[in-house]
Amino acid sequence: PAAKGMSPEEAAFRKTFEEGVQASGAKNHDVAIAKFTEAAKMQADCYACYMNMGSGYRETKELDKAEAAYKKAAELKPDDAKPIQALADLYNGMGKREEAAAMATKAAAMGAASGGGSAQDSYNQGVILWNAGKIAEAKAQFEAAVKADPNYADANYWVGMANLNGGNMPEAQKYFENYLKLAP
């Protein structure tokens, strides 16, 4: 039944979307993908539909379809770093280091423009950049993660590694000591 003031179309969309959420929560990814696809046909601008489809396709290892879904989500919300970060993570998992680094850099810039992302986002971007051999950019992301959360043990470790890599032993030691305090 439609909620008060809700059109039958809106009620059908919400029901279908909610069925997708429930299927996704139950790890029934094929059903979830089908429901989110159906919901997106009802509302073509459904950003959450495409983000959820991307996650579902990633779980079912249909990586080309995951990429397409995340790209569509990015089209629908060009100022949101989440689909860009999802693409960075996807490319990183596929071993596409250059594409991953480019997306991580873009997501980091978008996060900074909107007041900065979370410590976890900065850390993830740092790992992707490190894997691509972009040590200076990675260090900046690990430092941003430590700034956002000084008790983030792994971020402290990687700032230490970046300093060690750059030959700055006193700074490396400081961050390694923080890491050992946080994760003995």
Side-chain angles (χ1 to χ4, degrees):
K4 203 173 194 115
M6 193 185 300
S7 71
E9 293 82 8
E10 177 68 14
F13 166 80
R14 287 195 180 188
K15 178 181 181 292
T16 303
F17 185 88
E18 187 53 42
E19 289 168 354
V21 170
Q22 289 169 358
S24 184
K27 305 232 181 285
N28 193 341
H29 302 295
D30 292 327
V31 172
I33 291 166
K35 291 295 178 181
F36 291 126
T37 301
E38 188 182 335
K41 287 179 183 164
M42 295 179 204
Q43 284 190 10
D45 64 347
C46 179
Y47 165 83
C49 294
Y50 290 100
M51 286 299 291
N52 284 307
M53 276 187 255
S55 297
Y57 283 128
R58 194 165 172 188
E59 290 294 327
T60 61
K61 307 287 186 242
E62 296 175 83
L63 304 182
D64 290 347
K65 290 180 179 179
E67 178 184 21
Y70 289 138
K71 283 182 172 178
K72 180 65 178 175
E75 241 177 70
L76 291 170
K77 279 197 176 179
D79 297 335
D80 191 340
K82 285 185 195 80
I84 303 303
Q85 183 60 48
L87 283 166
D89 294 341
L90 180 70
Y91 293 148
N92 193 48
M94 295 167 78
K96 293 182 172 182
R97 301 283 184 236
E98 286 302 313
E99 292 94 331
M103 289 296 135
T105 301
K106 183 176 178 182
M110 292 171 80
S114 66
S118 71
Q120 181 70 50
D121 288 344
S122 295
Y123 175 80
N124 290 345
Q125 291 159 0
V127 170
I128 289 167
L129 291 163
W130 185 278
N131 289 342
K134 298 181 182 305
I135 306 306
E137 294 98 323
K139 181 181 176 200
Q141 290 304 311
F142 294 135
E143 288 171 337
V146 170
K147 185 177 179 197
D149 179 1
N151 296 321
Y152 198 146
D154 288 342
N156 274 276
Y157 173 82
W158 283 103
V159 174
M161 287 300 292
N163 279 299
L164 184 65
N165 189 282
N168 187 343
M169 299 310 163
E171 277 298 291
Q173 182 179 350
K174 180 177 98 176
Y175 284 98
F176 287 141
E177 286 173 357
N178 287 348
Y179 170 71
L180 288 174
K181 280 183 213 151
L182 296 166

